[in-house]
Amino acid sequence: GESVGLHLPTLSVQEGDNSIINCAYSNSASDYFIWYKQESGKGPQFIIDIRSNMDKRQGQRVTVLLNKTVKHLSLQIAATQPGDSAVYFCAGNGNQFYFGTGTSLTVIP
Amino acid sequence: KAGVTQTPRYLIKTRGQQVTLSCSPISGHRSVSWYQQTPGQGLQFLFEYFSETQRNKGNFPGRFSGRQFSNSRSEMNVSTLELGDSALYLCASSSFGSAWGDTQYFGPGTRLTVL
């Protein structure tokens, strides 16, 4: 069946460093992807999205890269801050949204 | 614009009881999806509604049901609660739904504890 997965369940980075969170998907028909951030006790918060006609999209301190050849996308967070500590999910569309299991990012001050 | 709201935020029930959760989508959004989130399983899709019709359903037993009203508000119901139903239930809304490549926004969730 269709799936979206994240490569690492946990990631620790030093404050100020860049973070890279990876995600793989299986459905070639997915043409829209979203990254979400979920803080403890809260619902997932939209961070950035990308459509399949793009390879890269930039937001404020975040960049999403999409490699359709290997069905892989990544989220890059520049100058990671303590407030970035959260669980990050990728989601790909289809007849429903498919979510990865999440990467828990911890920022070390 | 107000975000997705869910009520109640917390619920404690006992096994065998039933529960109804409510979701109000972002104004103008016609699609509402429900998810169950548990530490071991991550986000699991329950169902998606669009214009009062269930458009898609995940792999959950018939004890889980939902509906959508003409104002796009949605409810989900779980009957005969089991301990394993303890989870965070999330509602998400979008203009037209996932198949349209539509951005989906989440509510804060309802934390259900079954004792």
Side-chain angles (χ1 to χ4, degrees), chain A residues 15-31:
Chain A
E15 181 178 356
D17 286 353
N18 296 334
S19 303
I20 299 176
I21 301 171
N22 295 301
C23 183
Y25 63 96
S26 65
N27 184 6
S28 299
S30 291
D31 59 5

Side-chain angles (χ1 to χ4, degrees), chain B:
Chain B
K1 205 182 245 189
V4 180
T5 58
Q6 291 186 247
T7 57
R9 292 294 312 280
Y10 303 92
L11 265 179
I12 299 176
K13 293 285 187 179
T14 57
R15 278 183 300 174
Q17 287 187 308
Q18 76 162 16
V19 67
T20 299
L21 312 181
S22 181
C23 171
S24 291
I26 292 170
S27 178
H29 283 189
R30 295 164 62 188
S31 174
V32 172
S33 294
W34 288 90
Y35 297 88
Q36 181 193 68
Q37 186 177 36
T38 58
Q41 298 294 321
L43 271 161
Q44 300 291 312
F45 173 75
L46 280 156
F47 23 68
E48 179 184 22
Y49 285 88
F50 178 80
S51 293
E52 302 179 68
T53 300
Q54 187 180 88
R55 197 155 63 179
N56 202 359
K57 191 177 190 303
N59 295 324
F60 278 81
R63 301 185 296 108
F64 292 81
S65 63
R67 58 178 176 168
Q68 187 180 34
F69 302 95
S70 58
N71 62 357
S72 295
R73 191 178 69 85
S74 178
E75 289 181 347
M76 68 161 282
N77 183 277
V78 188
S79 62
T80 320
L81 284 166
E82 300 176 359
L83 294 179
D85 296 333
S86 294
L88 180 67
Y89 289 88
L90 291 161
C91 164
S93 81
S94 61
S95 296
F96 301 105
S98 60
W100 292 92
D102 215 6
T103 305
Q104 188 174 230
Y105 298 93
F106 282 88
T110 294
R111 171 72 63 187
L112 172 64
T113 302
V114 182
L115 303 176

Side-chain angles (χ1 to χ4, degrees), chain A residues 1-103:
Chain A
E2 300 176 35
S3 69
V4 174
L6 283 160
H7 290 182
L8 287 174
T10 61
L11 177 66
S12 295
V13 298
Q14 289 289 140
E15 181 178 356
D17 286 353
N18 296 334
S19 303
I20 299 176
I21 301 171
N22 295 301
C23 183
Y25 63 96
S26 65
N27 184 6
S28 299
S30 291
D31 59 5
Y32 180 59
F33 303 89
I34 305 176
W35 279 99
Y36 289 97
K37 171 186 179 184
Q38 187 174 24
E39 296 174 285
S40 181
K42 298 183 179 179
Q45 174 189 358
F46 172 90
I47 301 173
I48 190 168
D49 58 0
I50 189 167
R51 300 196 181 274
S52 59
N53 60 352
M54 304 173 71
D55 297 324
K56 179 180 179 179
R57 189 158 191 232
Q58 288 183 291
Q60 186 177 16
R61 285 200 305 117
V62 294
T63 300
V64 55
L65 299 177
L66 175 62
N67 185 328
K68 295 179 286 294
T69 303
V70 295
K71 297 180 196 169
H72 178 274
L73 65 159
S74 66
L75 176 70
Q76 301 178 4
I77 304 173
T80 313
Q81 303 169 359
D84 295 327
S85 292
V87 176
Y88 291 81
F89 298 93
C90 63
N93 76 325
N95 56 354
Q96 66 189 65
F97 271 105
Y98 297 89
F99 288 82
T101 52
T103 290

